[in-house]
């Protein structure tokens, strides 16, 4: 992709995020974005259909950044390094993720993150669980909901404990399950 296009999209998205924090989604207009980014209104429409499309692309971008970072620094989804990587990345990028998780109209972000984590957990549970008494669907949604819930709690409460404490507590809660998965690897 042309660097100018990347730079313009980056500018539009950053401007949109700033305005989202200041005004809220409902009050943002394409004119606001164009003026703040110092570009023509038509340029915004060249890259995005409307502000809803921009919101969708913003959500996709930040979910992908989080997942890409975690995929590069963790060996498996149910490992210390995976959990630590997620919390460290969120800590470094606290402001944007708090905005995306807090804003009422951005349930799309949570839903997208949930879907991706659930898909990954489903793959791990399906491969590693040898216990037919466990329902893969129930297990997947239990683990995904719990993990997302802890992330939301941690972000909404402005990181009330350290990354290390959050990871240790999460692993302690998941220990019986992770031991079960490890014992069925072969």
């Amino acid at each position: 992709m042309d660097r100018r296009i990347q730079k313009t999209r980056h500018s539009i998205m950053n401007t949109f995020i700033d305005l989202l924090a200041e005004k809220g989604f409902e009050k943002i207009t394409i004119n606001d974005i164009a003026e703040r980014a110092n570009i023509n209104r038509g340029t915004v429409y060249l890259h995005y259909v409307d502000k809803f499309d921009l919101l969708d692309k913003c959500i996709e971008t930040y979910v992908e950044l989080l997942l890409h970072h975690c995929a590069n620094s963790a060996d498996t989804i149910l490992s210390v390094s995976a959990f630590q990587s997620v919390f460290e990345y969120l800590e470094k990028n606290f402001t944007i993720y708090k905005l995306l998780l807090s804003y009422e109209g951005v349930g799309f972000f949570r839903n997208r993150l949930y879907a991706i984590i659930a898909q990954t957990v489903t793959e791990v549970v399906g491969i590693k669980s040898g216990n037919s008494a466990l329902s893969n669907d129930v297990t997947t949604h239990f683990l995904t909901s719990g993990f997302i819930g802890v992330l939301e709690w941690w972000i909404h409460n402005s990181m009330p404990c350290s990354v290390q404490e959050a990871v240790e507590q999460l692993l302690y809660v998941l220990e019986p399950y992770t031991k079960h998965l490890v014992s069925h690897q072969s």
Side-chain angles (χ1 to χ4, degrees):
M1 180 184 303
D2 185 327
R3 285 186 193 180
R4 290 173 295 173
I5 293 172
Q6 285 179 323
K7 186 176 178 184
T8 301
R9 286 184 182 171
H10 185 72
S11 175
I12 292 169
M13 194 171 289
N14 285 343
T15 299
F16 174 72
I17 290 166
D18 290 344
L19 288 168
L20 188 61
E22 289 173 27
K23 300 173 103 174
F25 182 75
E26 302 306 322
K27 293 180 182 175
I28 296 173
T29 66
I30 295 298
N31 279 340
D32 294 335
I33 296 166
E35 285 178 24
R36 176 83 59 96
N38 199 26
I39 57 176
N40 292 322
R41 180 183 155 121
T43 303
V44 177
Y45 285 118
L46 183 64
H47 296 278
Y48 304 98
V49 175
D50 54 21
K51 71 179 189 176
F52 296 96
D53 182 42
L54 178 53
L55 176 62
D56 288 343
K57 298 293 190 299
C58 182
I59 289 167
E60 285 297 318
T61 297
Y62 283 97
V63 167
E64 286 175 19
L65 286 171
L66 175 62
L67 295 175
H68 180 73
H69 172 79
C70 297
N72 288 337
S73 58
D75 47 4
T76 68
I77 187 123
L78 294 175
S79 69
V80 173
S81 63
F83 292 133
Q84 187 135 357
S85 179
V86 168
F87 281 95
E88 286 172 351
Y89 186 80
L90 291 174
E91 182 180 48
K92 287 178 192 168
N93 299 281
F94 174 76
T95 304
I96 183 62
Y97 287 98
K98 182 167 185 171
L99 178 64
L100 291 174
L101 282 168
S102 299
Y103 180 64
E104 318 80 49
V106 190
F108 300 116
F109 179 78
R110 184 191 194 283
N111 293 342
R112 179 75 176 116
L113 187 60
Y114 187 98
I116 290 170
I117 291 174
Q119 177 183 352
T120 307
V121 170
T122 298
E123 291 168 9
V124 172
V125 169
I127 292 168
K128 296 183 179 178
S129 177
N131 185 345
S132 59
L134 287 177
S135 164
N136 287 351
D137 288 341
V138 170
T139 303
T140 293
H141 291 288
F142 175 77
L143 291 173
T144 304
S145 295
F147 183 64
I148 296 285
V150 170
L151 289 180
E152 286 178 321
W153 165 82
W154 195 68
I155 293 290
H156 288 306
N157 290 287
S158 300
M159 302 176 289
C161 61
S162 71
V163 167
Q164 189 64 34
E165 289 172 302
V167 170
E168 286 174 5
Q169 288 295 307
L170 197 53
L171 289 172
Y172 178 76
V173 169
L174 292 174
E175 184 177 10
Y177 185 76
T178 55
K179 277 185 181 179
H180 172 74
L181 289 179
V182 169
S183 69
H184 285 90
Q185 288 180 4
S186 9

